[in-house]
Amino acid sequence: MDKNMVESSLKSLIEQTYLIEQEYQKLRSSYENLQNIIKDLVDVLPTAIWVLNSDGSLFLQNSMASTKTELFKRINKDEKECEIEQNGAFYLVRIADRNDKKIVFAVDITTQKRNERLVSMGSVAAHLAHEIRNPIGSIMLLASSLERRVSGRESDILDEMQKAIKRVERIINATLLFTKGVQINRDIFAFAELKNECEEALKYYNYTKNIKFELDFGASYYNADKNLLAIVFENLLFNAVDAIEEDENEDGEIRLTYEKTDMEHKFYLYDSGVSIKDTKAVFEPFKTSKLKGNGLGLALCLQIINAHKGSIEVNLKPKCFCVSLPLYR
């Protein structure tokens, strides 16, 4: 083999080696990018992940796991699956063995647990509401028949009795409506009709304070379920009355104003009662900080407004509930 052939072969070998080196660098870069992508994906997962060495020491953890130190301490590493409650939250923990490593996963199932609890509570509440409805109906009928036979102080007592019965009836209707779900029956009506409905409902609501009401529903017409929207505003007003009843002052004020924008009908309800303690729990079913009520009123309001594609917002300074309903052109 002559010198030229050797040089040519050597040059070809060097070129191939260089090409192989380039391909290797590309593959290595791709592999590193893939590793980084996987690491980033694992890091942003809403699941806490710990990887342990065979001796139980921590090999690595993602961002979510780094915030769950106390939870990690409570996990029994010998159990394949378990549920743990930590600071009011529920976690499903699963453990898998991979070669010499142990992988621990913790998923927040608080919402699932909450929904299961609500379904169970809703079923019980609906059953009780059906059972209570018949005797309450009989009491209402008897109370109505007594109106023609009593006077003076007895009439005042009967009036209080009817208000109490009305309150129980509202709780029953709200419970049944909440548990079976909201179905909208649309029709065109004037918002002013809601004012009449609310004023009539307030006559049968029991309170002891001197409360000034200013209700302005505007003069617009709307295509929606008037009966359901009446329930919303009545519940909001009852909630405001209860807040004033719990306040130290003997006088109170409730003011409802109306505004029409290019996109929405907006209603603002202000009251001078006690402040809201926990805005996050305001619309949570079966949870209330009030002395009266079962915690379904505002939850039902939210359900009805959502069904109308609207929204309810809570402000604290000043204390205000804002109901927004979309325009239908």
Side-chain angles (χ1 to χ4, degrees):
M1 184 179 295
D2 60 21
K3 182 179 178 181
N4 290 334
M5 289 182 63
V6 171
E7 288 180 351
S8 176
S9 299
L10 185 59
K11 182 180 178 182
S12 177
L13 181 60
I14 292 172
E15 289 175 352
Q16 290 178 19
T17 302
Y18 177 71
L19 291 173
I20 292 172
E21 176 66 20
Q22 283 186 315
E23 290 298 319
Y24 171 75
Q25 292 296 336
K26 289 179 181 178
L27 287 173
R28 183 176 179 180
S29 177
S30 297
Y31 176 71
E32 288 176 350
N33 288 335
L34 182 60
Q35 277 188 314
N36 290 330
I37 290 172
I38 293 173
K39 183 178 181 297
D40 290 341
L41 285 173
V42 171
D43 211 41
V44 300
L45 283 175
T47 301
I49 302 176
W50 297 270
V51 180
L52 308 180
N53 293 311
S54 57
D55 62 358
S57 60
L58 185 63
F59 177 70
L60 63 85
Q61 62 182 355
N62 67 350
S63 296
M64 178 64 71
S66 65
T67 66
K68 306 294 180 186
T69 305
E70 293 302 316
L71 174 65
F72 179 71
K73 292 177 181 178
R74 294 185 56 193
I75 296 174
N76 184 347
K77 311 306 186 295
D78 295 324
E79 289 189 43
K80 293 298 182 183
E81 184 173 312
C82 65
E83 288 185 12
I84 297 177
E85 182 180 2
Q86 179 78 19
N87 298 329
F90 292 87
Y91 298 90
L92 175 63
V93 177
R94 289 195 173 100
I95 298 177
D97 293 313
R98 292 292 183 273
N99 299 324
D100 63 336
K101 298 291 189 289
K102 190 183 291 284
I103 307 175
V104 182
F105 304 88
V107 183
D108 190 333
I109 57 171
T110 306
T111 301
Q112 178 184 332
K113 283 285 187 182
R114 175 179 173 274
N115 291 338
E116 290 173 357
R117 186 177 73 252
L118 286 178
V119 169
S120 177
M121 293 174 68
S123 298
V124 173
H127 175 72
L128 289 175
H130 278 294
E131 292 296 318
I132 294 172
R133 175 171 260 177
N134 288 335
I136 286 296
S138 299
I139 295 172
M140 289 181 65
L141 185 61
L142 292 171
S144 297
S145 65
L146 283 174
E147 280 185 300
R148 299 183 296 271
R149 305 180 185 182
V150 298
S151 60
R153 178 169 173 74
E154 292 176 341
S155 180
D156 293 338
I157 294 173
L158 181 60
D159 185 54
E160 292 300 313
M161 184 187 300
Q162 288 178 319
K163 288 181 178 180
I165 294 170
K166 284 284 187 181
R167 190 177 189 91
V168 174
E169 187 183 33
R170 284 194 297 271
I171 293 173
I172 292 172
N173 291 337
T175 302
L176 293 174
L177 185 58
F178 181 82
T179 52
K180 73 180 182 181
V182 172
Q183 300 294 327
I184 296 179
N185 295 309
R186 294 186 184 277
D187 199 4
I188 297 176
F189 66 93
F191 280 135
E193 297 176 42
L194 292 176
K195 178 180 179 180
N196 297 332
E197 297 266 357
C198 290
E199 289 177 339
E200 186 65 24
L202 286 168
K203 292 179 183 178
Y204 292 95
Y205 199 74
N206 196 17
Y207 56 92
T208 60
K209 301 289 180 70
N210 180 30
I211 302 177
K212 179 183 178 182
F213 293 94
E214 292 183 14
L215 307 181
D216 178 15
F217 281 85
S220 296
Y221 284 81
Y222 198 56
N223 183 15
D225 193 316
K226 184 183 75 172
N227 293 330
L228 290 179
L229 290 181
I231 290 174
V232 170
F233 289 103
E234 287 170 15
N235 276 326
L236 290 174
L237 286 168
F238 296 156
N239 189 70
V241 170
D242 292 344
I244 292 174
E245 286 285 283
E246 293 180 27
D247 190 53
E248 295 179 353
N249 297 320
E250 288 303 314
D251 298 320
E253 179 182 4
I254 295 175
R255 182 163 47 93
L256 188 146
T257 62
Y258 167 78
E259 175 190 4
K260 184 177 180 180
T261 69
D262 293 337
M263 300 295 295
E264 295 174 313
H265 299 281
K266 300 182 81 68
F267 301 85
Y268 302 91
L269 183 66
Y270 304 88
D271 72 72
S272 60
V274 295
S275 59
I276 297 171
K277 296 177 181 178
D278 184 2
T279 56
K280 294 181 181 179
V282 166
F283 298 106
E284 187 172 341
F286 302 106
K287 187 172 183 178
T288 180
S289 60
K290 297 193 306 177
L291 299 177
K292 297 189 289 185
N294 63 349
L296 268 186
L298 293 179
L300 181 59
C301 289
L302 181 61
Q303 195 178 88
I304 292 172
I305 295 301
N306 284 343
H308 282 85
K309 308 302 181 185
S311 64
I312 301 183
E313 298 176 359
V314 184
N315 297 317
L316 297 181
K317 294 182 180 180
K319 177 187 173 186
C320 172
F321 282 87
C322 176
V323 177
S324 302
L325 294 169
L327 291 178
Y328 289 92
R329 300 185 185 279

